[in-house]
PDB file of all heavy atoms in Angstrom:
ATOM      1  N   ARG Q   7       5.871  -0.934 -27.349  1.00 53.00           N
ATOM      2  CA  ARG Q   7       5.405  -0.944 -25.967  1.00 53.00           C
ATOM      3  C   ARG Q   7       4.263   0.045 -25.794  1.00 53.00           C
ATOM      4  O   ARG Q   7       3.236  -0.258 -25.184  1.00 53.00           O
ATOM      5  CB  ARG Q   7       6.564  -0.574 -25.066  1.00 53.00           C
ATOM      6  CG  ARG Q   7       6.224  -0.702 -23.623  1.00 53.00           C
ATOM      7  CD  ARG Q   7       7.472  -0.623 -22.810  1.00 53.00           C
ATOM      8  NE  ARG Q   7       7.570   0.665 -22.170  1.00 53.00           N
ATOM      9  CZ  ARG Q   7       8.613   1.037 -21.457  1.00 53.00           C
ATOM     10  NH1 ARG Q   7       9.629   0.259 -21.328  1.00 53.00           N
ATOM     11  NH2 ARG Q   7       8.637   2.210 -20.882  1.00 53.00           N
ATOM     12  N   ASN Q  11       0.513  -0.735 -24.655  1.00 57.00           N
ATOM     13  CA  ASN Q  11      -0.118  -0.020 -23.554  1.00 57.00           C
ATOM     14  C   ASN Q  11      -1.424   0.620 -23.980  1.00 57.00           C
ATOM     15  O   ASN Q  11      -2.435   0.541 -23.291  1.00 57.00           O
ATOM     16  CB  ASN Q  11       0.819   1.059 -23.027  1.00 57.00           C
ATOM     17  CG  ASN Q  11       1.811   0.475 -22.045  1.00 57.00           C
ATOM     18  OD1 ASN Q  11       1.724  -0.707 -21.743  1.00 57.00           O
ATOM     19  ND2 ASN Q  11       2.731   1.282 -21.577  1.00 57.00           N
ATOM     20  N   GLU Q  36     -39.377  -5.673 -15.850  1.00 75.00           N
ATOM     21  CA  GLU Q  36     -39.054  -6.838 -15.034  1.00 75.00           C
ATOM     22  C   GLU Q  36     -38.120  -6.490 -13.895  1.00 75.00           C
ATOM     23  O   GLU Q  36     -38.015  -7.239 -12.935  1.00 75.00           O
ATOM     24  CB  GLU Q  36     -38.359  -7.881 -15.922  1.00 75.00           C
ATOM     25  CG  GLU Q  36     -39.236  -8.491 -16.959  1.00 75.00           C
ATOM     26  CD  GLU Q  36     -39.402  -9.962 -16.700  1.00 75.00           C
ATOM     27  OE1 GLU Q  36     -38.369 -10.621 -16.534  1.00 75.00           O
ATOM     28  OE2 GLU Q  36     -40.550 -10.426 -16.653  1.00 75.00           O
ATOM     29  N   ARG Q  39     -39.324  -4.057  -8.571  1.00 85.00           N
ATOM     30  CA  ARG Q  39     -40.399  -4.725  -7.878  1.00 85.00           C
ATOM     31  C   ARG Q  39     -40.651  -4.012  -6.556  1.00 85.00           C
ATOM     32  O   ARG Q  39     -39.765  -3.338  -6.011  1.00 85.00           O
ATOM     33  CB  ARG Q  39     -40.089  -6.192  -7.621  1.00 85.00           C
ATOM     34  CG  ARG Q  39     -39.019  -6.405  -6.569  1.00 85.00           C
ATOM     35  CD  ARG Q  39     -38.912  -7.862  -6.202  1.00 85.00           C
ATOM     36  NE  ARG Q  39     -37.783  -8.094  -5.308  1.00 85.00           N
ATOM     37  CZ  ARG Q  39     -37.371  -9.306  -4.962  1.00 85.00           C
ATOM     38  NH1 ARG Q  39     -37.949 -10.368  -5.447  1.00 85.00           N
ATOM     39  NH2 ARG Q  39     -36.356  -9.457  -4.129  1.00 85.00           N
ATOM     40  N   GLU Q  93     -34.598  -2.642  -7.090  1.00 84.00           N
ATOM     41  CA  GLU Q  93     -34.392  -2.720  -8.530  1.00 84.00           C
ATOM     42  C   GLU Q  93     -33.087  -3.426  -8.831  1.00 84.00           C
ATOM     43  O   GLU Q  93     -32.178  -3.471  -8.015  1.00 84.00           O
ATOM     44  CB  GLU Q  93     -34.431  -1.341  -9.166  1.00 84.00           C
ATOM     45  CG  GLU Q  93     -33.453  -0.351  -8.616  1.00 84.00           C
ATOM     46  CD  GLU Q  93     -33.616   1.002  -9.288  1.00 84.00           C
ATOM     47  OE1 GLU Q  93     -34.689   1.618  -9.124  1.00 84.00           O
ATOM     48  OE2 GLU Q  93     -32.695   1.420  -9.966  1.00 84.00           O
ATOM     49  N   ARG Q  94     -33.043  -4.012  -9.995  1.00 85.00           N
ATOM     50  CA  ARG Q  94     -31.841  -4.720 -10.410  1.00 85.00           C
ATOM     51  C   ARG Q  94     -31.647  -4.447 -11.883  1.00 85.00           C
ATOM     52  O   ARG Q  94     -32.482  -3.809 -12.523  1.00 85.00           O
ATOM     53  CB  ARG Q  94     -32.007  -6.219 -10.185  1.00 85.00           C
ATOM     54  CG  ARG Q  94     -33.094  -6.767 -11.053  1.00 85.00           C
ATOM     55  CD  ARG Q  94     -33.117  -8.266 -11.116  1.00 85.00           C
ATOM     56  NE  ARG Q  94     -34.181  -8.685 -12.037  1.00 85.00           N
ATOM     57  CZ  ARG Q  94     -34.534  -9.941 -12.212  1.00 85.00           C
ATOM     58  NH1 ARG Q  94     -33.953 -10.885 -11.534  1.00 85.00           N
ATOM     59  NH2 ARG Q  94     -35.477 -10.263 -13.075  1.00 85.00           N
ATOM     60  N   TYR Q 106     -18.182 -13.942 -17.801  1.00 94.00           N
ATOM     61  CA  TYR Q 106     -17.393 -14.761 -16.878  1.00 94.00           C
ATOM     62  C   TYR Q 106     -17.214 -16.174 -17.420  1.00 94.00           C
ATOM     63  O   TYR Q 106     -16.102 -16.700 -17.466  1.00 94.00           O
ATOM     64  CB  TYR Q 106     -18.071 -14.805 -15.509  1.00 94.00           C
ATOM     65  CG  TYR Q 106     -17.367 -15.709 -14.542  1.00 94.00           C
ATOM     66  CD1 TYR Q 106     -16.221 -15.268 -13.904  1.00 94.00           C
ATOM     67  CD2 TYR Q 106     -17.810 -16.992 -14.303  1.00 94.00           C
ATOM     68  CE1 TYR Q 106     -15.538 -16.092 -13.044  1.00 94.00           C
ATOM     69  CE2 TYR Q 106     -17.129 -17.827 -13.445  1.00 94.00           C
ATOM     70  CZ  TYR Q 106     -15.992 -17.372 -12.819  1.00 94.00           C
ATOM     71  OH  TYR Q 106     -15.312 -18.203 -11.985  1.00 94.00           O
ATOM     72  N   ASP Q 146      22.784 -18.288 -15.383  1.00 40.00           N
ATOM     73  CA  ASP Q 146      22.822 -18.281 -13.929  1.00 40.00           C
ATOM     74  C   ASP Q 146      24.219 -18.017 -13.402  1.00 40.00           C
ATOM     75  O   ASP Q 146      24.416 -17.239 -12.485  1.00 40.00           O
ATOM     76  CB  ASP Q 146      22.343 -19.616 -13.387  1.00 40.00           C
ATOM     77  CG  ASP Q 146      20.863 -19.756 -13.602  1.00 40.00           C
ATOM     78  OD1 ASP Q 146      20.229 -18.719 -13.858  1.00 40.00           O
ATOM     79  OD2 ASP Q 146      20.364 -20.866 -13.526  1.00 40.00           O
ATOM     80  N   HIS Q 154      24.182  -9.193 -21.322  1.00 46.00           N
ATOM     81  CA  HIS Q 154      24.268  -9.370 -22.768  1.00 46.00           C
ATOM     82  C   HIS Q 154      22.872  -9.395 -23.350  1.00 46.00           C
ATOM     83  O   HIS Q 154      22.558  -8.704 -24.300  1.00 46.00           O
ATOM     84  CB  HIS Q 154      24.937 -10.717 -23.088  1.00 46.00           C
ATOM     85  CG  HIS Q 154      26.398 -10.605 -23.254  1.00 46.00           C
ATOM     86  ND1 HIS Q 154      26.968  -9.818 -24.206  1.00 46.00           N
ATOM     87  CD2 HIS Q 154      27.419 -11.186 -22.584  1.00 46.00           C
ATOM     88  CE1 HIS Q 154      28.283  -9.917 -24.119  1.00 46.00           C
ATOM     89  NE2 HIS Q 154      28.581 -10.728 -23.131  1.00 46.00           N
ATOM     90  N   ARG Q 159      18.810  -7.249 -26.924  1.00 48.00           N
ATOM     91  CA  ARG Q 159      17.443  -7.611 -27.260  1.00 48.00           C
ATOM     92  C   ARG Q 159      16.866  -6.762 -28.390  1.00 48.00           C
ATOM     93  O   ARG Q 159      15.970  -7.165 -29.096  1.00 48.00           O
ATOM     94  CB  ARG Q 159      16.597  -7.460 -25.986  1.00 48.00           C
ATOM     95  CG  ARG Q 159      15.227  -7.930 -26.040  1.00 48.00           C
ATOM     96  CD  ARG Q 159      15.011  -9.421 -25.997  1.00 48.00           C
ATOM     97  NE  ARG Q 159      15.778 -10.266 -25.147  1.00 48.00           N
ATOM     98  CZ  ARG Q 159      15.526 -10.480 -23.869  1.00 48.00           C
ATOM     99  NH1 ARG Q 159      14.575  -9.848 -23.280  1.00 48.00           N
ATOM    100  NH2 ARG Q 159      16.233 -11.333 -23.197  1.00 48.00           N
ATOM    101  N   ARG Q 176       8.500 -16.485 -23.054  1.00 88.00           N
ATOM    102  CA  ARG Q 176       8.965 -15.798 -21.850  1.00 88.00           C
ATOM    103  C   ARG Q 176       7.949 -15.935 -20.737  1.00 88.00           C
ATOM    104  O   ARG Q 176       8.285 -16.175 -19.590  1.00 88.00           O
ATOM    105  CB  ARG Q 176       9.189 -14.317 -22.159  1.00 88.00           C
ATOM    106  CG  ARG Q 176      10.541 -14.049 -22.702  1.00 88.00           C
ATOM    107  CD  ARG Q 176      10.956 -12.656 -22.447  1.00 88.00           C
ATOM    108  NE  ARG Q 176       9.885 -11.699 -22.741  1.00 88.00           N
ATOM    109  CZ  ARG Q 176      10.069 -10.401 -22.705  1.00 88.00           C
ATOM    110  NH1 ARG Q 176      11.238  -9.909 -22.401  1.00 88.00           N
ATOM    111  NH2 ARG Q 176       9.080  -9.584 -22.975  1.00 88.00           N
ATOM    112  N   ARG Q 185       5.736 -21.329 -10.509  1.00 87.00           N
ATOM    113  CA  ARG Q 185       5.214 -22.608 -10.047  1.00 87.00           C
ATOM    114  C   ARG Q 185       6.252 -23.319  -9.189  1.00 87.00           C
ATOM    115  O   ARG Q 185       5.950 -23.871  -8.144  1.00 87.00           O
ATOM    116  CB  ARG Q 185       4.862 -23.459 -11.271  1.00 87.00           C
ATOM    117  CG  ARG Q 185       3.782 -24.468 -11.008  1.00 87.00           C
ATOM    118  CD  ARG Q 185       3.387 -25.159 -12.273  1.00 87.00           C
ATOM    119  NE  ARG Q 185       2.838 -24.243 -13.260  1.00 87.00           N
ATOM    120  CZ  ARG Q 185       2.987 -24.389 -14.572  1.00 87.00           C
ATOM    121  NH1 ARG Q 185       3.653 -25.410 -15.052  1.00 87.00           N
ATOM    122  NH2 ARG Q 185       2.446 -23.523 -15.409  1.00 87.00           N
ATOM    123  N   LEU Q 195       4.602 -17.597  -0.483  1.00 76.00           N
ATOM    124  CA  LEU Q 195       3.174 -17.920  -0.445  1.00 76.00           C
ATOM    125  C   LEU Q 195       2.871 -19.296   0.103  1.00 76.00           C
ATOM    126  O   LEU Q 195       2.109 -20.041  -0.492  1.00 76.00           O
ATOM    127  CB  LEU Q 195       2.614 -17.856  -1.861  1.00 76.00           C
ATOM    128  CG  LEU Q 195       2.380 -16.508  -2.476  1.00 76.00           C
ATOM    129  CD1 LEU Q 195       2.330 -16.630  -3.964  1.00 76.00           C
ATOM    130  CD2 LEU Q 195       1.096 -15.931  -1.985  1.00 76.00           C
ATOM    131  N   SER Q 196       3.488 -19.667   1.199  1.00 70.00           N
ATOM    132  CA  SER Q 196       3.123 -20.972   1.705  1.00 70.00           C
ATOM    133  C   SER Q 196       2.223 -20.809   2.929  1.00 70.00           C
ATOM    134  O   SER Q 196       2.177 -19.772   3.524  1.00 70.00           O
ATOM    135  CB  SER Q 196       4.323 -21.783   2.064  1.00 70.00           C
ATOM    136  OG  SER Q 196       5.237 -20.983   2.716  1.00 70.00           O
TER     137      SER Q 196
ATOM    138  N   LYS T   3      18.600 -18.826  -9.520  1.00 36.00           N
ATOM    139  CA  LYS T   3      18.122 -19.187 -10.835  1.00 36.00           C
ATOM    140  C   LYS T   3      16.727 -18.633 -11.034  1.00 36.00           C
ATOM    141  O   LYS T   3      16.409 -18.043 -12.042  1.00 36.00           O
ATOM    142  CB  LYS T   3      18.092 -20.703 -10.916  1.00 36.00           C
ATOM    143  CG  LYS T   3      17.965 -21.238 -12.285  1.00 36.00           C
ATOM    144  CD  LYS T   3      18.290 -22.705 -12.211  1.00 36.00           C
ATOM    145  CE  LYS T   3      17.470 -23.463 -13.203  1.00 36.00           C
ATOM    146  NZ  LYS T   3      17.548 -24.881 -12.961  1.00 36.00           N
ATOM    147  N   ALA T  11      12.093 -13.129 -17.885  1.00 37.00           N
ATOM    148  CA  ALA T  11      10.843 -13.377 -18.556  1.00 37.00           C
ATOM    149  C   ALA T  11       9.809 -12.320 -18.256  1.00 37.00           C
ATOM    150  O   ALA T  11       8.791 -12.248 -18.902  1.00 37.00           O
ATOM    151  CB  ALA T  11      10.316 -14.723 -18.128  1.00 37.00           C
ATOM    152  N   GLU T  42      15.754  -5.642 -18.209  1.00 31.00           N
ATOM    153  CA  GLU T  42      15.823  -6.966 -17.638  1.00 31.00           C
ATOM    154  C   GLU T  42      16.952  -7.029 -16.647  1.00 31.00           C
ATOM    155  O   GLU T  42      17.623  -6.083 -16.395  1.00 31.00           O
ATOM    156  CB  GLU T  42      16.097  -7.961 -18.747  1.00 31.00           C
ATOM    157  CG  GLU T  42      15.526  -7.519 -20.004  1.00 31.00           C
ATOM    158  CD  GLU T  42      14.245  -8.218 -20.253  1.00 31.00           C
ATOM    159  OE1 GLU T  42      14.314  -9.385 -20.596  1.00 31.00           O
ATOM    160  OE2 GLU T  42      13.203  -7.618 -20.083  1.00 31.00           O
ATOM    161  N   HIS T 181     -32.850 -13.927  -7.780  1.00 87.00           N
ATOM    162  CA  HIS T 181     -33.291 -13.187  -8.959  1.00 87.00           C
ATOM    163  C   HIS T 181     -34.219 -14.025  -9.829  1.00 87.00           C
ATOM    164  O   HIS T 181     -35.002 -13.482 -10.612  1.00 87.00           O
ATOM    165  CB  HIS T 181     -32.085 -12.705  -9.756  1.00 87.00           C
ATOM    166  CG  HIS T 181     -31.393 -11.567  -9.080  1.00 87.00           C
ATOM    167  ND1 HIS T 181     -31.998 -10.353  -8.889  1.00 87.00           N
ATOM    168  CD2 HIS T 181     -30.173 -11.478  -8.521  1.00 87.00           C
ATOM    169  CE1 HIS T 181     -31.162  -9.547  -8.256  1.00 87.00           C
ATOM    170  NE2 HIS T 181     -30.060 -10.204  -8.013  1.00 87.00           N
ATOM    171  N   TRP T 184     -37.575 -13.382  -8.712  1.00 83.00           N
ATOM    172  CA  TRP T 184     -37.669 -11.935  -8.517  1.00 83.00           C
ATOM    173  C   TRP T 184     -39.106 -11.451  -8.578  1.00 83.00           C
ATOM    174  O   TRP T 184     -39.589 -10.765  -7.683  1.00 83.00           O
ATOM    175  CB  TRP T 184     -36.814 -11.266  -9.598  1.00 83.00           C
ATOM    176  CG  TRP T 184     -36.897  -9.779  -9.632  1.00 83.00           C
ATOM    177  CD1 TRP T 184     -37.691  -9.021 -10.428  1.00 83.00           C
ATOM    178  CD2 TRP T 184     -36.137  -8.865  -8.845  1.00 83.00           C
ATOM    179  NE1 TRP T 184     -37.478  -7.700 -10.196  1.00 83.00           N
ATOM    180  CE2 TRP T 184     -36.519  -7.573  -9.225  1.00 83.00           C
ATOM    181  CE3 TRP T 184     -35.163  -9.014  -7.847  1.00 83.00           C
ATOM    182  CZ2 TRP T 184     -35.977  -6.422  -8.659  1.00 83.00           C
ATOM    183  CZ3 TRP T 184     -34.619  -7.868  -7.288  1.00 83.00           C
ATOM    184  CH2 TRP T 184     -35.026  -6.606  -7.691  1.00 83.00           C
ATOM    185  N   ARG T 240      -2.609 -23.162 -10.772  1.00 90.00           N
ATOM    186  CA  ARG T 240      -1.371 -23.872 -11.018  1.00 90.00           C
ATOM    187  C   ARG T 240      -0.872 -23.667 -12.443  1.00 90.00           C
ATOM    188  O   ARG T 240       0.316 -23.510 -12.689  1.00 90.00           O
ATOM    189  CB  ARG T 240      -1.603 -25.362 -10.771  1.00 90.00           C
ATOM    190  CG  ARG T 240      -0.353 -26.135 -10.518  1.00 90.00           C
ATOM    191  CD  ARG T 240      -0.654 -27.599 -10.381  1.00 90.00           C
ATOM    192  NE  ARG T 240       0.443 -28.328 -10.967  1.00 90.00           N
ATOM    193  CZ  ARG T 240       1.578 -28.576 -10.324  1.00 90.00           C
ATOM    194  NH1 ARG T 240       1.720 -28.199  -9.104  1.00 90.00           N
ATOM    195  NH2 ARG T 240       2.546 -29.217 -10.934  1.00 90.00           N
ATOM    196  N   ALA T 241      -1.812 -23.625 -13.386  1.00 90.00           N
ATOM    197  CA  ALA T 241      -1.385 -23.555 -14.780  1.00 90.00           C
ATOM    198  C   ALA T 241      -0.960 -22.144 -15.183  1.00 90.00           C
ATOM    199  O   ALA T 241      -0.016 -21.987 -15.943  1.00 90.00           O
ATOM    200  CB  ALA T 241      -2.514 -24.024 -15.687  1.00 90.00           C
ATOM    201  N   ILE T 277     -10.939 -14.781 -11.662  1.00 94.00           N
ATOM    202  CA  ILE T 277     -11.734 -15.922 -12.104  1.00 94.00           C
ATOM    203  C   ILE T 277     -11.793 -17.000 -11.022  1.00 94.00           C
ATOM    204  O   ILE T 277     -12.858 -17.514 -10.687  1.00 94.00           O
ATOM    205  CB  ILE T 277     -11.103 -16.516 -13.396  1.00 94.00           C
ATOM    206  CG1 ILE T 277     -11.162 -15.495 -14.538  1.00 94.00           C
ATOM    207  CG2 ILE T 277     -11.798 -17.800 -13.793  1.00 94.00           C
ATOM    208  CD1 ILE T 277     -12.511 -15.231 -15.077  1.00 94.00           C
ATOM    209  N   PHE T 309       0.565   3.160 -17.274  1.00 91.00           N
ATOM    210  CA  PHE T 309       0.181   4.188 -18.234  1.00 91.00           C
ATOM    211  C   PHE T 309       0.669   5.562 -17.814  1.00 91.00           C
ATOM    212  O   PHE T 309       0.491   6.529 -18.520  1.00 91.00           O
ATOM    213  CB  PHE T 309      -1.325   4.202 -18.407  1.00 91.00           C
ATOM    214  CG  PHE T 309      -1.881   2.878 -18.834  1.00 91.00           C
ATOM    215  CD1 PHE T 309      -2.745   2.178 -18.024  1.00 91.00           C
ATOM    216  CD2 PHE T 309      -1.503   2.323 -20.045  1.00 91.00           C
ATOM    217  CE1 PHE T 309      -3.230   0.957 -18.411  1.00 91.00           C
ATOM    218  CE2 PHE T 309      -1.986   1.098 -20.435  1.00 91.00           C
ATOM    219  CZ  PHE T 309      -2.846   0.412 -19.622  1.00 91.00           C
ATOM    220  N   ASN T 377     -24.784  -2.353  -8.429  1.00 83.00           N
ATOM    221  CA  ASN T 377     -25.841  -2.914  -7.590  1.00 83.00           C
ATOM    222  C   ASN T 377     -25.860  -4.437  -7.640  1.00 83.00           C
ATOM    223  O   ASN T 377     -26.837  -5.049  -8.037  1.00 83.00           O
ATOM    224  CB  ASN T 377     -27.181  -2.341  -8.062  1.00 83.00           C
ATOM    225  CG  ASN T 377     -28.285  -2.615  -7.080  1.00 83.00           C
ATOM    226  OD1 ASN T 377     -28.028  -3.096  -5.980  1.00 83.00           O
ATOM    227  ND2 ASN T 377     -29.506  -2.329  -7.475  1.00 83.00           N
ATOM    228  N   ASN T 653       7.164 -17.150   5.816  1.00 88.00           N
ATOM    229  CA  ASN T 653       7.779 -17.158   4.503  1.00 88.00           C
ATOM    230  C   ASN T 653       9.148 -16.510   4.487  1.00 88.00           C
ATOM    231  O   ASN T 653       9.835 -16.542   3.473  1.00 88.00           O
ATOM    232  CB  ASN T 653       6.880 -16.437   3.505  1.00 88.00           C
ATOM    233  CG  ASN T 653       5.727 -17.305   3.075  1.00 88.00           C
ATOM    234  OD1 ASN T 653       5.920 -18.442   2.711  1.00 88.00           O
ATOM    235  ND2 ASN T 653       4.534 -16.775   3.142  1.00 88.00           N
ATOM    236  N   TYR T 655       9.855 -13.274   4.581  1.00 87.00           N
ATOM    237  CA  TYR T 655       9.985 -12.046   3.801  1.00 87.00           C
ATOM    238  C   TYR T 655      10.728 -11.000   4.617  1.00 87.00           C
ATOM    239  O   TYR T 655      10.587 -10.955   5.834  1.00 87.00           O
ATOM    240  CB  TYR T 655       8.605 -11.479   3.447  1.00 87.00           C
ATOM    241  CG  TYR T 655       7.762 -12.373   2.602  1.00 87.00           C
ATOM    242  CD1 TYR T 655       6.417 -12.536   2.885  1.00 87.00           C
ATOM    243  CD2 TYR T 655       8.295 -13.042   1.520  1.00 87.00           C
ATOM    244  CE1 TYR T 655       5.623 -13.350   2.118  1.00 87.00           C
ATOM    245  CE2 TYR T 655       7.503 -13.867   0.747  1.00 87.00           C
ATOM    246  CZ  TYR T 655       6.170 -14.020   1.045  1.00 87.00           C
ATOM    247  OH  TYR T 655       5.393 -14.824   0.291  1.00 87.00           O
ATOM    248  N   ARG T 737      30.379  -2.542 -24.931  1.00 84.00           N
ATOM    249  CA  ARG T 737      29.711  -2.607 -26.218  1.00 84.00           C
ATOM    250  C   ARG T 737      29.840  -1.334 -27.016  1.00 84.00           C
ATOM    251  O   ARG T 737      30.051  -1.346 -28.220  1.00 84.00           O
ATOM    252  CB  ARG T 737      28.227  -2.833 -25.999  1.00 84.00           C
ATOM    253  CG  ARG T 737      27.858  -4.222 -26.148  1.00 84.00           C
ATOM    254  CD  ARG T 737      26.507  -4.451 -25.539  1.00 84.00           C
ATOM    255  NE  ARG T 737      26.411  -5.873 -25.316  1.00 84.00           N
ATOM    256  CZ  ARG T 737      26.150  -6.722 -26.288  1.00 84.00           C
ATOM    257  NH1 ARG T 737      25.904  -6.285 -27.497  1.00 84.00           N
ATOM    258  NH2 ARG T 737      26.131  -7.999 -26.054  1.00 84.00           N
TER     259      ARG T 737
END
Side-chain angles (χ1 to χ4, degrees):
Chain Q
R7 186 167 105 184
N11 277 357
E36 292 244 309
R39 71 171 173 188
E93 57 182 64
R94 64 167 182 186
Y106 176 79
D146 289 343
H154 268 300
R159 188 75 40 83
R176 274 205 315 186
R185 207 174 298 147
L195 285 159
S196 42
Chain T
K3 195 166 146 192
E42 329 260 286
H181 286 296
W184 174 264
R240 200 184 144 82
I277 296 290
F309 303 116
N377 193 8
N653 282 311
Y655 298 137
R737 262 163 199 282

